[in-house]
Amino acid sequence: FPGIEVDEETIVSSTGALSLKEVPEKMIVIGAGVIGVELGSVWSRLGSQVTAVEFMGHVGGMGIDMDMSKQFQRIMTKQGIKFKLNTKVTGAKKEGGKITVSVESVKDGKVEDMVADVLLVCVGRRPYTQNLGLEELGIELDNRGRVPVNSRFQSVLPNVYAIGDCIAGPMLAHKAEDEAIISAEGMVGGPVHIDYNCVPSVVYTHPELAWVGKSEEDLKSEGVEYSVGKFPFAANSRAKCNNETDGLVKILGDKHTDRLLGAHIIGPGAGEMINEAALAMEYGASCEDIARVCHAHPTCSEAFREANLAAWSGKAINNM
């Protein structure tokens, strides 16, 4: 981060945040995207007073549904995390064992100094493509340091392939793994296909946040008419038994064909449950298809079925 030197002791990256020697009384997190809220949530639950400073006007990073972002922020705030949105960090300095962080409101220019014991810098990751000799081979990088590839993951040199974090797309291990499998199959003449719309994203907080497919903002920008189905975990028997009732399942379906277009989950086991949505989307399932599949009781995944039922028919069964 410009002007802030990471020492992995009091000014830390996500790596240093995993090995702090003690729980800091106060922690400031630069960035309220996926990594920022994950690690901020961990240290908050361990007892630290956490404040996340985010330049954008929402939490959860890129691709998140704005409705779910607001719900997620509300839950994290209830757990004790403070958020300063639409705010940029202008500098940080160490003073007497503390760190003073200077911030400025993007909207009105209001300046403020904040003091913390640890500063966690979570402003995203960059591909590791420098000093690898790519330029000498004639492989040019894009403006974000990524390797341009074709549909078979070949660079401008047909015998040099690139996948994962060093090419375009979300920096997710499961996305990279699928690209590795598909590119290897393509090398021996197999078909090459991946639907990036069906790659799920998960935020590993408590409760978890997960989504796959389109957000409401995506569908509005694309001019697609859609229906919405929601089901809260407060009405789910397994979640109530476990005392994990925060969150909901939100389903977006095509208004005319009922095809499942997007699934968004905040709640217990969201990272597991989202894979059912990914499977359904890969096979082109409708919301009715999912609503008619018998789900074991009592399980949290019943909420997924109920939300699909609401998207298809307009009303869930167990949400009065």
Side-chain angles (χ1 to χ4, degrees):
F1 194 83
I4 298 177
E5 184 177 345
V6 173
D7 58 19
E8 299 297 15
E9 291 183 2
T10 55
I11 300 179
V12 300
S13 68
S14 57
T15 301
L18 298 175
S19 55
L20 295 178
K21 295 179 176 62
E22 60 184 8
V23 177
E25 181 183 349
K26 292 184 178 182
M27 172 183 280
I28 293 174
V29 182
I30 303 178
V34 173
I35 299 174
V37 292
E38 284 177 341
L39 291 173
S41 171
V42 168
W43 287 107
S44 174
R45 281 177 278 147
L46 288 172
S48 183
Q49 298 175 35
V50 176
T51 301
V53 181
E54 172 57 52
F55 183 80
M56 294 194 293
H58 69 274
V59 305
M62 302 299 292
I64 190 173
D65 183 274
M66 289 299 107
D67 174 33
M68 299 298 276
S69 176
K70 292 175 183 176
Q71 298 272 2
F72 182 62
Q73 182 182 344
R74 180 184 60 80
I75 293 170
M76 292 295 103
T77 299
K78 188 169 70 172
Q79 292 182 4
I81 300 177
K82 297 179 181 178
F83 294 96
K84 283 188 171 293
L85 306 181
N86 296 303
T87 303
K88 65 180 179 180
V89 174
T90 57
K93 57 184 177 181
K94 296 181 182 180
E95 293 179 320
K98 302 284 186 178
I99 300 168
T100 301
V101 181
S102 300
V103 300
E104 179 183 331
S105 171
V106 176
K107 290 186 175 181
D108 58 19
K110 181 181 177 182
V111 176
E112 180 184 355
D113 284 341
M114 304 165 60
V115 178
D117 301 286
V118 171
L119 174 62
L120 170 56
V121 182
C122 291
V123 290
R125 296 186 177 275
R126 287 175 289 185
Y128 185 75
T129 52
Q130 300 298 323
N131 302 317
L132 297 180
L134 298 180
E135 292 82 359
E136 288 83 348
L137 292 174
I139 299 175
E140 295 183 358
L141 305 177
D142 67 13
N143 60 354
R144 297 180 65 179
R146 302 172 302 191
V147 179
V149 295
N150 62 18
S151 61
R152 303 183 74 85
F153 303 101
Q154 294 169 300
S155 68
V156 290
L157 298 182
N159 62 332
V160 177
Y161 292 73
I163 60 165
D165 292 358
C166 70
I167 69 171
M171 291 184 171
L172 301 171
H174 46 280
K175 174 253 195 190
E177 181 180 4
D178 271 26
E179 289 173 341
I181 295 169
I182 294 165
S183 63
E185 290 178 339
M187 291 176 195
V188 295
V192 177
H193 170 73
I194 182 170
D195 185 352
Y196 288 108
N197 189 53
C198 294
V199 174
S201 296
V202 183
V203 183
Y204 295 98
T205 47
H206 185 83
E208 293 177 347
L209 164 65
W211 68 88
V212 65
K214 303 292 187 180
S215 66
E216 280 203 67
E217 289 69 34
D218 292 332
L219 297 176
K220 287 175 181 176
S221 67
E222 294 170 10
V224 177
E225 293 186 306
Y226 60 93
S227 56
V228 180
K230 294 182 179 181
F231 192 84
F233 281 104
N236 176 266
S237 56
R238 179 67 175 271
K240 287 195 287 185
C241 288
N242 293 343
N243 195 28
E244 295 182 317
T245 55
D246 281 336
L248 73 156
V249 180
K250 176 180 177 179
I251 296 297
L252 303 175
D254 189 287
K255 190 172 184 178
H256 304 288
T257 67
D258 191 42
R259 182 169 181 157
L260 176 62
L261 300 177
H264 307 265
I265 307 171
I266 303 172
E272 301 289 345
M273 207 180 308
I274 201 65
N275 296 302
E276 181 179 355
L279 179 65
M281 288 180 59
E282 280 282 8
Y283 280 85
S286 67
C287 298
E288 180 185 1
D289 288 334
I290 300 165
R292 291 191 179 279
V293 172
C294 184
H295 285 60
H297 173 81
T299 60
C300 291
S301 62
E302 288 178 281
F304 181 72
R305 181 192 191 185
E306 294 266 19
N308 276 278
L309 177 60
W312 161 54
S313 69
K315 188 177 186 300
I317 293 176
N318 294 296
N319 186 24
M320 303 303 292

